[in-house]
């Protein structure tokens, strides 16, 4: 009985978590009998950047979806600041994790309200500060109605890069200790690309960040690179360590990145 009670107990994380994230022997399958993640263990210390790299279908997005309990693991444990995430209230868990995905979620409403979505009680001034840190202020300022400009439901009256900057501003405003970022692969113009890069850096500062990384600069600067292949962490270390090791990462780097430095 007591174990049952423990399983259904719904814990809450405090408003500010340190952001230590630990996966221990995590196994997961979308469909019973077809394991996708076999035995994933990782430790992210507060503030660290963890880059996930590896071929398509390796399990990178899956790992990230488990952290927000979009899916439940089969065995093993995932903890945030020592709390087993299965014991946490899902809403509470998700409110502590910022997510910046390739396809920015924007709704029909003003630019201001779209940023405010990160923290509903934020003041107009806080919204502008977040936009400035996200390198979004200058383009917002140039819109006909500035922060009061209305976005269409799919954000189609902004460029893709601008949409990303807005979601970064939103995440900065939300101020989560743990971040999930899926770097865009699609190309935006060089100037916007630079804006996005510096904004992402700003956002990741002091937060535990899991990045599905496509940019070499992000990967290079990561505290840990996890190379995922067929649902397993096959290599881990810094860029220099992994290049030295001369394994899978080395080959990946040679084939994908050596021309883009
Ligand atoms: N919702 C799902 N249901 C069933 N299988 C899935 C589901 N999502 C992903 N998979 C499978 O799980 C495996 C890992 O997929 P995942 O999306 O995590 O890969 P990825 O490393 O993120 O790849 P990519 O680089 O292409 O984004 C793949 O074999 C994929 O087909
Ligand atoms: Mg993916």
């Amino acid at each position: 009985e007591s174990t049952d009670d423990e399983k259904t107990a719904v814990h809450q994380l405090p408003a500010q978590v340190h952001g230590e994230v630990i996966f221990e022997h995590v196994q997961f399958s979308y469909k019973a009998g077809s394991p996708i993640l076999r035995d994933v263990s990782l430790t992210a210390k507060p503030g660290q950047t963890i880059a996930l790299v590896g071929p398509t279908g390796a399990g990178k997005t899956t790992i990230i979806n488990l952290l927000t309990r979009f899916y439940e693991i089969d065995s093993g444990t995932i903890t945030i600041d020592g709390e087993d995430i299965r014991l946490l209230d899902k809403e509470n868990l998700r409110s502590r994790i910022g997510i910046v995905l390739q396809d920015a979620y924007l709704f029909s409403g003003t630019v201001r309200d779209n940023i405010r979505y990160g923290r509903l009680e934020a003041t107009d001034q806080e919204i502008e500060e977040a936009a400035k840190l996200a390198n979004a202020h200058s383009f917002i300022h140039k819109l006909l109605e500035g922060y009061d400009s209305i976005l269409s439901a799919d954000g189609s009256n902004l460029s893709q890069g601008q949409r990303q900057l807005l979601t970064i501003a939103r995440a900065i405003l939300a101020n989560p200790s743990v971040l999930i970022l899926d770097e865009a692969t699609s190309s935006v113009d060089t100037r916007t690309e630079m804006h996005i890069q510096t904004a992402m850096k700003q956002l990741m500062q002091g937060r535990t960040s899991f990045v599905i990384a496509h940019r070499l600069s992000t990967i290079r600067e990561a505290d840990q690179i996890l190379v995922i292949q067929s649902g397993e962490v096959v290599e881990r270390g810094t860029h220099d360590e992994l290049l030295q090791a001369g394994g899978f990462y080395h080959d990946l780097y040679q084939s994908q990145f050596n021309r883009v430095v």
Side-chain angles (χ1 to χ4, degrees), residues 94-114:
R94 289 175 187 168
S95 71
R96 301 296 183 269
I97 300 175
I99 305 178
V100 178
L101 298 176
Q102 291 179 23
D103 297 311
Y105 166 69
L106 298 173
F107 53 85
S108 171
T110 64
V111 168
R112 193 190 313 281
D113 286 346
N114 268 279

Side-chain angles (χ1 to χ4, degrees), residues 30 36 54-62 71:
Y30 287 101
I36 295 291
T56 182
K60 305 180 294 294
T61 301
T62 302
Y71 294 96

Side-chain angles (χ1 to χ4, degrees), residues 211-248:
V211 194
I212 297 181
H214 302 293
R215 292 191 193 100
L216 181 60
S217 60
T218 309
I219 299 171
R220 268 187 151 148
E221 288 167 24
D223 297 292
Q224 295 181 52
I225 299 164
L226 303 183
V227 183
I228 315 296
Q229 200 182 10
S230 306
E232 287 181 296
V233 182
V234 293
E235 290 176 16
R236 65 183 85 211
T238 62
H239 174 77
D240 290 339
E241 286 164 0
L242 293 184
L243 275 191
Q244 283 260 306
F248 189 81

